[in-house]
Amino acid sequence: ETVLIVDDRLTQRKYRDAERRSRIQEELARFGQAAQRLAPPGSEAVLPSVDEVRRLMHQVLGPLSPRLETLWQSGYLSPDLLKGLWHVGSYLVRSQTNSAWRRLQGDYELDEFGRDEAFIQAILPLAQLAYDHYWRVEVHGAENVPDQGRAMLVSNHSGVLPFDGAMIGVALHNETASQRLPRALAASWFQTMPFVSMLLQKTGQVQANPLNAQTLLERDELVIVFPEGIKGIGKLYRDRYQLQRFGRGGFIKVAVRTGAPILPVAVVGAEEIYPVIGQVEPLARLIGFPFFPITPTFPWTGPLGLVPLPTKWTIEFGKPIPVEDHGPRAAANPAVVARLTEQVRSTIQQMLLDRLAKRRSVFLG
């Protein structure tokens, strides 16, 4: 009887693993097919063959060849995926050049912030893959997000790179009936990073300042703000989930002026994807970064140290905090701004503590 129980459990596990592999392969194939829509006519002729790509990868990543071969045979490194990655990479370079030229000629296909709907639809399957299978995001309180109209989402910030903003965006797209895609206010530092800046621009994220936030809210969009700013993404591992100071309440002033309800958001799991154990300030100043993080894997393992850890994420959307009763003039009242800022901050901190109390494992949730 014991043997039968063990065999049954092994069979169920193999079935779950096979089902998971199948879902991952479908997401990768969907990304590859969607990305190929970005390709200009005739681009297939200049693409290297699958065998050539395979040979090149083995030459460049020699020590990883056995692992690559396993991925290849499993179907994860499919021809469609490789073509998709090629097209997305070339599209980013090509579109930046074409966009600048079109703007010089007065021909605008993007909005004034550079949001590109075709690019968003192409990379959404890849973001969905990370959401479903890498970080296995679990969402609570999605019913608090309005399907229409303006709202300001205020979240804790962490993770060195803006993965938390991306996953909040996918969560809103998945969990709202209208599949809303928000706009995140990104720190100006990200705009100086070549690949990251292009990615943020193409997906419609904007530089963090009150004018941009007000413009988007007056268009009845969802706007995500991270009041912790750089202090949040650069915090040490020992300070994880301890909210940093929320600046001077600039986001509160914008919400009050526009009458946008404030939704507190708590993200658990992103704090551990890059466990920052130290910072090298002289090096950060030398290269013009606000901080240079040291993690257990970076910079010791080179590019591999840039791979985020597959932690288990939880995103909770709290109940809206209304501000319209205060009236637009209250934005100039320091007492109202300070009170609302502290209310939002304490609400998010309590949400984080409640979620952490329920979590049993960083990687399993």
Side-chain angles (χ1 to χ4, degrees):
E1 185 177 351
T2 303
V3 173
L4 289 175
I5 292 174
V6 171
D7 286 344
D8 184 54
R9 287 178 178 173
L10 288 174
T11 301
Q12 290 179 1
R13 182 177 178 181
K14 288 179 181 178
Y15 176 77
R16 287 196 301 270
D17 289 346
E19 187 179 28
R20 181 171 176 269
R21 283 197 300 272
S22 175
R23 289 201 305 269
I24 292 175
Q25 290 167 4
E26 287 174 5
E27 290 288 351
L28 290 173
R30 190 160 68 91
F31 159 71
Q33 293 160 7
Q36 289 182 60
R37 291 198 290 270
L38 299 173
S43 63
E44 290 291 333
V46 300
L47 274 175
S49 69
V50 173
D51 288 337
E52 289 172 341
V53 172
R54 191 176 185 180
R55 247 191 332 269
L56 180 62
M57 292 176 72
H58 281 296
Q59 290 172 0
V60 175
L61 304 172
L64 298 177
S65 293
R67 178 59 177 160
L68 287 174
E69 193 63 37
T70 302
L71 289 172
W72 200 283
Q73 293 175 358
S74 69
Y76 292 157
L77 289 178
S78 67
D80 278 343
L81 171 63
L82 294 176
K83 289 178 182 178
L85 292 172
W86 170 278
H87 289 309
V88 165
S90 61
Y91 174 82
L92 283 172
V93 175
R94 189 176 67 249
S95 64
Q96 285 297 106
T97 305
N98 292 343
S99 173
W101 179 247
R102 286 197 305 267
R103 287 177 179 275
L104 287 174
Q105 294 181 316
D107 179 14
Y108 292 81
E109 291 184 7
L110 313 175
D111 70 10
E112 66 269 37
F113 295 110
R115 182 168 176 163
D116 189 327
E117 292 297 333
F119 182 73
I120 290 174
Q121 294 307 314
I123 67 166
L124 195 56
L126 200 57
Q128 190 72 53
L129 179 67
Y131 180 93
D132 286 333
H133 303 292
Y134 195 73
W135 286 310
R136 296 147 291 140
V137 181
E138 183 180 315
V139 178
H140 300 272
E143 67 278 2
N144 294 320
V145 181
D147 282 329
Q148 298 179 21
R150 68 190 66 176
M152 177 180 284
L153 287 77
V154 183
S155 176
N156 61 307
H157 206 12
S158 60
V160 180
L161 293 175
F163 290 115
D164 48 4
M167 292 301 101
I168 292 173
V170 177
L172 291 168
H173 179 267
N174 289 353
E175 302 293 336
T176 56
S178 54
Q179 294 188 318
R180 303 194 71 176
L181 285 173
R183 305 275 199 150
L185 300 186
S188 57
W189 172 51
F190 292 129
Q191 310 300 326
T192 66
M193 304 175 72
F195 180 75
V196 174
S197 64
M198 282 193 291
L199 199 60
L200 291 173
Q201 182 187 44
K202 290 298 177 186
T203 54
Q205 316 319 314
V206 302
Q207 187 167 340
N209 66 58
L211 181 59
N212 286 341
Q214 184 165 334
T215 300
L216 293 170
L217 287 171
E218 286 174 347
R219 294 179 185 176
D220 287 337
E221 297 205 43
L222 291 179
V223 175
I224 307 174
V225 298
F226 301 96
E228 290 179 281
I230 296 297
K231 299 189 299 294
I233 60 173
K235 68 167 73 88
L236 297 178
Y237 187 71
R238 66 168 181 260
D239 298 325
R240 62 194 182 280
Y241 302 113
Q242 298 177 32
L243 291 182
Q244 305 299 298
R245 185 172 174 268
F246 270 18
R248 300 178 181 177
F251 70 98
I252 293 291
K253 296 177 184 178
V254 173
V256 171
R257 279 195 215 103
T258 58
I262 297 173
L263 271 71
V265 182
V267 181
V268 171
E271 302 266 5
E272 293 93 357
I273 61 173
Y274 293 117
V276 180
I277 56 178
Q279 297 181 7
V280 184
E281 293 185 7
L283 183 55
R285 287 195 297 270
L286 181 66
I287 61 179
F289 281 11
F291 63 92
F292 188 89
I294 301 295
T295 75
T297 58
F298 182 82
W300 329 112
T301 59
L304 288 177
L306 298 175
V307 178
L309 296 178
T311 56
K312 176 74 168 67
W313 286 33
T314 300
I315 299 177
E316 180 177 1
F317 299 100
K319 293 183 178 180
I321 299 174
V323 299
E324 64 271 14
D325 291 345
H326 295 284
R329 292 185 179 180
N333 187 328
V336 172
V337 172
R339 185 171 66 252
L340 285 172
T341 300
E342 183 53 35
Q343 180 182 355
V344 174
R345 186 181 180 281
S346 60
T347 300
I348 297 173
Q349 185 67 79
Q350 190 59 52
M351 290 166 63
L352 289 171
L353 294 175
D354 290 344
R355 283 290 153 197
L356 289 169
K358 297 175 183 177
R359 186 172 69 164
R360 294 293 174 264
S361 166
V362 171
F363 296 100
L364 300 178

